[in-house]
């Protein structure tokens, strides 16, 4: 069971490594773009990755913030206790209501759909929905393809009929890893603990 779970996580990690960089490049129109194969140029080294990983209580547009984060200065150390911008709709938060827009980030939803339905379904995300369409669209696909042999989605295989907190946490960790510069999965990345974040 553990081996199967590790293999599935590895497949998801590999899939999202490429897709997330592709989506970041498309959304932020980077020049030079995020390298799809070389993770060493991600994390806070890359401006767009840094913006997405930046804790929402900080303003990535401030040179003092990005310098502080990159230098790991006191008050700017990024840990699992802060929610990164990619979790939020339009990658910003309302400081008066931290739940507003939470888990509605476009890249987060695209990643969710890519893993649990299919990479092609992730193209339909505008980033302004509530994410509930992920499972609903999967049910629609199941009904329309009942007579045609097609590869089943993960949601069909595991009989997932709703978006769950665990599945959101899993994808949040996968996206964080895809934006990071570490090349192999581990539970701690510098000051960031994936287990605590999950």
């Amino acid at each position: 069971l553990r081996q199967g779970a590790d293999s599935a996580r590895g497949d998801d990690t590999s899939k999202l490594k490429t897709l997330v960089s592709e989506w970041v490049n498309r959304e932020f129109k980077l020049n030079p773009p995020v390298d799809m194969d070389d993770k060493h140029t991600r994390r806070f080294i890359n401006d767009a990755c840094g913006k997405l990983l930046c804790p929402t209580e900080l303003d990535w547009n401030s040179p003092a913030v990005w310098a502080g984060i990159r230098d790991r200065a006191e008050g700017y150390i990024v840990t699992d206790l802060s929610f990164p911008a990619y979790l939020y709709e339009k990658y910003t938060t309302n400081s008066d209501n931290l739940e507003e827009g939470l888990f509605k980030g476009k890249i987060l939803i695209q990643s969710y759909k890519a893993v649990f339905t299919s990479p092609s379904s992730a193209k339909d995300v505008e980033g302004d929905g509530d994410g509930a369409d992920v499972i609903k669209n999967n049910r629609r696909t199941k009904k329309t393809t009942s007579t045609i042999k097609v590869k089943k989605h993960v949601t069909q295989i595991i009989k997932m009929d709703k978006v769950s907190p665990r599945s959101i946490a899993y994808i949040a960790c996968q996206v964080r890893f895809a934006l990071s510069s570490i090349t192999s999965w581990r539970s701690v990345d510098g000051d960031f603990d994936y287990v605590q974040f999950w």
Side-chain angles (χ1 to χ4, degrees), residues 2 5 8 19 37 69 84 106 118 145 155 159 177 179:
R2 170 65 82 187
L19 288 172
D37 298 316
I69 289 174
K106 183 176 180 179
S118 71
T145 62
T155 57
K159 296 178 179 23
F177 179 79
L179 292 168

mmCIF file of all heavy atoms in Angstrom, residues 2 5 8 19 37 69 84 106 118 145 155 159 177 179:
data_model
loop_
_atom_site.group_PDB
_atom_site.id
_atom_site.type_symbol
_atom_site.label_atom_id
_atom_site.label_comp_id
_atom_site.label_asym_id
_atom_site.label_seq_id
_atom_site.Cartn_x
_atom_site.Cartn_y
_atom_site.Cartn_z
ATOM 1 N N ARG A 2 1.897 1.258 0.880
ATOM 2 C CA ARG A 2 2.795 2.407 0.974
ATOM 3 C C ARG A 2 3.519 2.630 -0.356
ATOM 4 O O ARG A 2 3.666 3.748 -0.816
ATOM 5 C CB ARG A 2 3.784 2.196 2.131
ATOM 6 C CG ARG A 2 4.921 3.190 2.183
ATOM 7 C CD ARG A 2 4.485 4.592 2.454
ATOM 8 N NE ARG A 2 4.302 4.780 3.862
ATOM 9 C CZ ARG A 2 3.799 5.867 4.376
ATOM 10 N NH1 ARG A 2 3.430 6.850 3.612
ATOM 11 N NH2 ARG A 2 3.642 5.992 5.658
ATOM 12 N N ALA A 5 1.178 4.220 -2.842
ATOM 13 C CA ALA A 5 0.959 5.633 -2.521
ATOM 14 C C ALA A 5 2.173 6.471 -2.905
ATOM 15 O O ALA A 5 2.028 7.564 -3.472
ATOM 16 C CB ALA A 5 0.658 5.793 -1.033
ATOM 17 N N ALA A 8 2.219 6.851 -6.686
ATOM 18 C CA ALA A 8 1.209 7.819 -7.134
ATOM 19 C C ALA A 8 1.667 9.244 -6.851
ATOM 20 O O ALA A 8 1.523 10.133 -7.689
ATOM 21 C CB ALA A 8 -0.128 7.538 -6.456
ATOM 22 N N LEU A 19 3.780 20.984 -15.492
ATOM 23 C CA LEU A 19 2.563 21.769 -15.683
ATOM 24 C C LEU A 19 2.577 23.083 -14.923
ATOM 25 O O LEU A 19 2.195 24.122 -15.475
ATOM 26 C CB LEU A 19 1.334 20.940 -15.275
ATOM 27 C CG LEU A 19 0.951 19.807 -16.216
ATOM 28 C CD1 LEU A 19 -0.160 18.958 -15.599
ATOM 29 C CD2 LEU A 19 0.536 20.339 -17.571
ATOM 30 N N ASP A 37 12.526 21.991 -16.756
ATOM 31 C CA ASP A 37 13.341 20.853 -16.349
ATOM 32 C C ASP A 37 14.273 21.149 -15.176
ATOM 33 O O ASP A 37 14.630 20.249 -14.431
ATOM 34 C CB ASP A 37 14.182 20.365 -17.539
ATOM 35 C CG ASP A 37 13.311 19.884 -18.688
ATOM 36 O OD1 ASP A 37 12.333 19.162 -18.411
ATOM 37 O OD2 ASP A 37 13.583 20.246 -19.840
ATOM 38 N N ILE A 69 13.342 37.891 2.349
ATOM 39 C CA ILE A 69 13.036 36.471 2.166
ATOM 40 C C ILE A 69 14.229 35.740 1.561
ATOM 41 O O ILE A 69 14.634 34.684 2.038
ATOM 42 C CB ILE A 69 11.774 36.285 1.290
ATOM 43 C CG1 ILE A 69 10.532 36.702 2.085
ATOM 44 C CG2 ILE A 69 11.651 34.833 0.825
ATOM 45 C CD1 ILE A 69 9.247 36.698 1.287
ATOM 46 N N PRO A 84 0.870 30.658 1.675
ATOM 47 C CA PRO A 84 1.454 31.297 0.496
ATOM 48 C C PRO A 84 0.377 31.846 -0.438
ATOM 49 O O PRO A 84 -0.773 31.383 -0.438
ATOM 50 C CB PRO A 84 2.238 30.156 -0.170
ATOM 51 C CG PRO A 84 1.632 28.906 0.343
ATOM 52 C CD PRO A 84 1.041 29.215 1.678
ATOM 53 N N LYS A 106 -5.774 30.146 -8.923
ATOM 54 C CA LYS A 106 -5.899 29.510 -10.235
ATOM 55 C C LYS A 106 -4.950 28.326 -10.397
ATOM 56 O O LYS A 106 -5.360 27.248 -10.837
ATOM 57 C CB LYS A 106 -5.643 30.545 -11.338
ATOM 58 C CG LYS A 106 -5.816 29.992 -12.730
ATOM 59 C CD LYS A 106 -5.644 31.071 -13.789
ATOM 60 C CE LYS A 106 -5.828 30.501 -15.176
ATOM 61 N NZ LYS A 106 -5.687 31.529 -16.205
ATOM 62 N N SER A 118 -7.866 15.246 -15.064
ATOM 63 C CA SER A 118 -6.878 15.051 -16.136
ATOM 64 C C SER A 118 -6.180 16.373 -16.415
ATOM 65 O O SER A 118 -6.749 17.436 -16.185
ATOM 66 C CB SER A 118 -7.558 14.555 -17.413
ATOM 67 O OG SER A 118 -8.326 15.596 -17.998
ATOM 68 N N THR A 145 -19.469 9.201 -21.292
ATOM 69 C CA THR A 145 -18.534 8.234 -21.866
ATOM 70 C C THR A 145 -18.821 6.807 -21.425
ATOM 71 O O THR A 145 -17.981 5.933 -21.578
ATOM 72 C CB THR A 145 -17.084 8.594 -21.481
ATOM 73 O OG1 THR A 145 -16.974 8.537 -20.061
ATOM 74 C CG2 THR A 145 -16.672 9.935 -22.022
ATOM 75 N N THR A 155 -10.462 10.353 -9.688
ATOM 76 C CA THR A 155 -11.692 10.467 -8.900
ATOM 77 C C THR A 155 -12.603 9.266 -9.123
ATOM 78 O O THR A 155 -13.286 8.837 -8.201
ATOM 79 C CB THR A 155 -12.462 11.760 -9.230
ATOM 80 O OG1 THR A 155 -12.742 11.802 -10.621
ATOM 81 C CG2 THR A 155 -11.695 12.979 -8.801
ATOM 82 N N LYS A 159 -13.331 6.459 -6.301
ATOM 83 C CA LYS A 159 -14.734 6.759 -5.984
ATOM 84 C C LYS A 159 -14.872 8.042 -5.153
ATOM 85 O O LYS A 159 -15.602 8.099 -4.158
ATOM 86 C CB LYS A 159 -15.385 5.568 -5.295
ATOM 87 C CG LYS A 159 -15.454 4.334 -6.171
ATOM 88 C CD LYS A 159 -16.055 3.176 -5.443
ATOM 89 C CE LYS A 159 -16.191 1.901 -6.232
ATOM 90 N NZ LYS A 159 -15.395 1.618 -7.344
ATOM 91 N N PHE A 177 5.749 22.231 -3.617
ATOM 92 C CA PHE A 177 6.943 21.509 -4.050
ATOM 93 C C PHE A 177 7.297 21.872 -5.498
ATOM 94 O O PHE A 177 8.466 22.074 -5.831
ATOM 95 C CB PHE A 177 6.748 19.995 -3.913
ATOM 96 C CG PHE A 177 7.943 19.213 -4.376
ATOM 97 C CD1 PHE A 177 9.059 19.081 -3.553
ATOM 98 C CD2 PHE A 177 7.964 18.635 -5.630
ATOM 99 C CE1 PHE A 177 10.183 18.381 -3.995
ATOM 100 C CE2 PHE A 177 9.079 17.934 -6.072
ATOM 101 C CZ PHE A 177 10.184 17.805 -5.253
ATOM 102 N N LEU A 179 6.802 24.622 -7.058
ATOM 103 C CA LEU A 179 7.342 25.983 -7.112
ATOM 104 C C LEU A 179 8.701 26.096 -6.426
ATOM 105 O O LEU A 179 9.408 27.080 -6.607
ATOM 106 C CB LEU A 179 6.361 26.966 -6.456
ATOM 107 C CG LEU A 179 5.040 27.189 -7.190
ATOM 108 C CD1 LEU A 179 4.056 27.928 -6.299
ATOM 109 C CD2 LEU A 179 5.256 27.920 -8.506
#
